[in-house]
Amino acid sequence: MTRIRGEPSGSLFLEILGTNVSVSAALFLGVVTAGLATLPAAIVSGALAGYSWGQALPLLGGDGFARHLLPHMPLELASIAVAAGAGLVPLVAWVRSGIGRRRLDRAGWWLQFVDASRLWGVSLLGLVAAAGVETWVST
């Protein structure tokens, strides 16, 4: 199925942002599931991004690839990676607490959640910027 995007507009921006935020939220869900939801979501997201890039390059050619993907994709992928990192914070904290370190109490787990939430906030800011670039530069 081929999808042709419309002209740059606020509704296109919101559509792109909504899609990216939903992927980011799925990755951040690891905060609730001790990182277990983040692992498969990151694998699937990475595989789909790689497949999409692999399909886009021959289809668009070098010039089209540079015009329609390169302006926004590095920022978008970096923001998605930060969301994955945020979702893995509890799993990393749990593993680190079992490797000769002091066990985390409730306050420690709360601080891990706060750190993960801050990371996700950074991810969301990056996705807003990436959606703007994708809407008004890459289309």
Side-chain angles (χ1 to χ4, degrees):
M1 177 170 106
T2 302
R3 180 163 174 239
I4 298 172
R5 289 217 168 133
E7 292 296 314
S9 66
S11 62
L12 179 60
F13 170 79
L14 291 175
E15 179 184 341
I16 292 167
L17 182 62
T19 301
N20 292 340
V21 167
S22 66
V23 171
S24 176
L27 292 165
F28 183 68
L29 187 62
V31 167
V32 180
T33 63
L36 297 178
T38 299
L39 293 173
I43 290 168
V44 169
S45 295
L48 287 174
Y51 177 79
S52 298
W53 273 54
Q55 294 297 309
L57 186 57
L59 185 68
L60 295 173
D63 290 341
F65 184 81
R67 164 79 173 95
H68 296 291
L69 289 178
L70 284 183
H72 71 275
M73 284 304 284
L75 180 57
E76 188 174 306
L77 290 177
S79 298
I80 293 295
V82 170
L88 291 174
V89 165
L91 180 62
V92 170
W94 176 73
V95 169
R96 289 183 68 197
S97 71
I99 304 178
R101 299 184 191 269
R102 198 168 38 107
R103 298 267 182 218
L104 289 175
D105 58 0
R106 273 191 190 187
W109 284 110
W110 176 252
L111 290 175
Q112 299 300 318
F113 176 76
V114 169
D115 287 346
S117 298
R118 288 179 180 158
L119 278 175
W120 193 41
V122 169
S123 169
L124 294 176
L125 289 174
L127 289 175
V128 169
V133 171
E134 186 173 355
T135 301
W136 286 286
V137 176
S138 296
T139 51

